[in-house]
Amino acid sequence: MRLLSCHVDNFGKLSDLHIEFQDGVNLFHEPNAWGKSTLAAFLRVMFYGFDSKRESGSFDKERVVYRPWQGGVYGGELDFTYQGRNYRISRTFGKTEKTDEFHLYDLATNLECHDFSSDIGSELFGLDSASFKRSAFIAQNDCECSSTDAINAKLGNLVENTNDINNFDSAQKRIHDRMNKLSPDRATGSIKKRTNMITLLTEELRGYEAAEQGAKELREKLANKQEQRKELTEIRSQYAKALQVASEESRRESLKQNYQVLCKEEKEAKQKAESYKEIFPGRVPKDQEFVEKNQEVQMLSVLKTTLYNLGLTEEEKAQYDMLSDKFGDKKPDECEIEEQDKELERLGKLKEERTQLETKISYFEALAIKGEKPEYTVKKYTPVLCCGVIALLLGLVGVALTFLLPAWKPYFLPCLLSSVVAALLGLGLIAARNLLYSGSERKEREEKRKAAEEEKKLHEPVEEIQKTMEEAAKEAEKIEQEAMTFLGQYHIFSGGTDLRSGLYELRGQLHEYERMKARVDKSEAAREEFDDIKDGLMKFGWEAGLEFGEDIAADLSRMQMKAAEYRLAQEAVEQAVQKREQFEKEYRIKELAAIEKCPYSLDELNAMISDVDERMEDVREAIEQYNHQMEDLQEQLDARDEKEQQLAICEEEQKQEKHLYETLSLTQDFLQSAKEQFSARYLGPIEGGFGKYYELLTGDNSKNWMVNANIAVQMKEQGEMRETKWLSAGYQDLLGICMRLALVDAMYPGEKPFLVLDDPFVNLDEEKVIHGNELLRKISDEYQILYFTCHSSRNP
């Protein structure tokens, strides 16, 4: 596309300004404060308008900055041609975006058309305003080149569907913000805060150890007193039974019946417990084992999910199998690919050299054509000869007539002298002509000899150049053959100019194979761990005498429930035995069956019971005192239990957030990797364009630089690749100009946009300014350039 003209009604300090643009370089050499940057901003705003976003540094502030100083209509017109049609943009600006007006006219009809909307800049260039300022618009002291989502989308030919790549930065920012909120290293991160909370709770729980020890000692004292009370109760019971022996003979039969009931309950409990041995013919697992196995079941579920996430689709499996067949036996390393890349770069230089040599041959051939053999003509001097012959004939005729005609006798002597003179003159003229003719022949021979020598001198360098070209052609053919052989090993068949693309394709396939292989390796490791855990669970069931089915979790749960029932049955047996033994101990069943006689009198038994009651009262008061003390300690222990519960909740939440943090980190890495792989598709053309402009600006053809997939340049300094931010401002501007021009070349392979250069060479030294002006002259054949400067030294 090309700008035709513009008219500024009022924009900043510019007012009623009309400019006609021409092809090539449009130079605006004006003093400071003339309004060059304002004019550049006007051209940009005519395509994009003022940005409505209210962010720091947005165009919304420009609406105020460029409001007309002198008042009047805020805006203007801009004529341009695009795809063979001429258009006119008319914009007027108000205080807000809603009050702005936009019109587009077709200059062939002067009627308003709707080929483009008010967002005409994005529709024409495929870029938003910020990305346009980072590419075709190079401002003074703002030559830095940085990729944006819109530029990446334009480079990847995804302008029609840019949601994925355009949302990359926002997605990364959301992940980054979320990770900052969770960060285990930042003071404001929830994981860091919770870590501090867990540490604080752990320290507080340690402070409850003294209360726990005191409670333990009280429990021991309380148990002793309760044991004493139990013993005293037993003694009193014995005394009471002895007291009642005489009067309660009938009660003995009742006690025997109670004993029989207890024996029956014990027998039934043992039978029920025996029935569970059929369920567990091996052994009955412990509760701790079930806890561990339940954790393993949960791990099986996690591994199953992991296997599902890591599993390859059919398309991916086919691709992986294809890449495995290709790289399985012999996988090229990066050094081999880099070596081939260098060879192909050398091939390109050989082709450039061949082109230069062909130009030289054309030059010498042109010289040969220009120096064609002259037409060597020998002057015969025919007029002189004719005059001489005529004079000689006249003289001879005069002499003859003088002697033969009698009428001439009076004039004999004058006629004779005249005739002789005429004859002598004729002879003289004939002799002079012959002398001149022989001199012309000698000159012709000398000129032929010199021409032959000049022709020989012109053909000698042509032969040398042809010989050099033949050697370069052989070397180029050898490099191409080696590259084709190397790529052919991996079923990539490219030739000519596609060899380097084939090499980039091989590198991409190799990276994809390594990524998928790592994924397959992780999947196999997870599968192996899954099988090990599953085998362990099956073995656990087999050792207990049970066989697990497909639903291991359900089988394990049923097994745990049966084990709990078995333990309850065992406890019931123990309780029945304990009741029977306690009954036997309390009532002395053997003595109960015999005839009992009390050895004490009633008064003695009552005195003994009274003494036991007093001792039991003392024990009761001690127990009550210990219980009060225990209640005081229990409040602290309850607080400890709350702290422990809070600690458990914190640890569980910490575990979940750490897992989320790791997942976000992996997601961030995968997104970055995907973007780099996407960017690698257009890295080659950008790298080539950057190298071309870098050599033009610096004269340095050694590749001591590198362009990465993020469209960032690194320079080799002291043997290492370093970021450009450590370079001088001038060199950073130089690299930024080269990269921006390379970006524009890559983004617009067809119809080229215009370039706005607002004094970009201000920080360059004198030599590079000269190269920069030469660069502008060269690219002006492809681009229409609007060049603003305030100093004549930077005029192109």
Side-chain angles (χ1 to χ4, degrees), residues 149-209:
D149 289 340
I151 290 176
N152 287 334
K154 179 67 175 176
L155 288 171
N157 294 324
L158 299 177
V159 177
E160 296 302 323
N161 185 13
T162 60
N163 287 336
D164 290 343
I165 190 65
N166 281 344
N167 290 332
F168 171 81
D169 286 345
S170 61
Q172 286 286 58
K173 184 178 184 304
R174 291 178 63 186
I175 293 174
H176 180 71
D177 293 342
R178 182 60 175 149
M179 290 179 68
N180 282 344
K181 291 180 180 180
L182 297 173
S183 174
D185 302 319
R186 297 167 63 96
T188 57
S190 60
I191 295 178
K192 179 68 174 178
K193 291 179 179 178
R194 195 174 290 104
T195 299
N196 296 336
M197 176 63 71
I198 290 173
T199 303
L200 179 62
L201 290 173
T202 303
E203 292 297 326
E204 289 179 356
L205 287 174
R206 290 177 182 171
Y208 290 104
E209 292 178 357

Side-chain angles (χ1 to χ4, degrees), residues 44 48 125 127-137 754 756:
R44 170 172 48 78
Y48 286 97
F125 305 112
L127 301 173
D128 54 28
S129 58
S131 301
F132 179 76
K133 289 185 68 178
R134 288 292 174 189
S135 54
F137 190 99
F754 63 90
V756 179

Side-chain angles (χ1 to χ4, degrees), residues 533-551:
I533 294 175
K534 184 175 180 180
D535 291 343
L537 289 169
M538 299 299 288
K539 182 179 178 182
F540 172 74
W542 177 80
E543 289 176 351
L546 297 175
E547 183 176 354
F548 288 159
E550 290 296 326
D551 193 350

Side-chain angles (χ1 to χ4, degrees), residues 232-264:
L232 291 173
T233 300
E234 184 180 353
I235 292 172
R236 190 183 188 286
S237 178
Q238 292 175 358
Y239 289 165
K241 287 190 289 184
L243 183 63
Q244 295 173 359
V245 166
S247 59
E248 295 182 358
E249 186 67 26
S250 61
R251 187 169 175 268
R252 293 177 182 175
E253 188 64 29
S254 177
L255 292 174
K256 287 180 181 181
Q257 293 176 357
N258 291 340
Y259 179 71
Q260 291 174 357
V261 171
L262 291 176
C263 290
K264 184 179 179 181

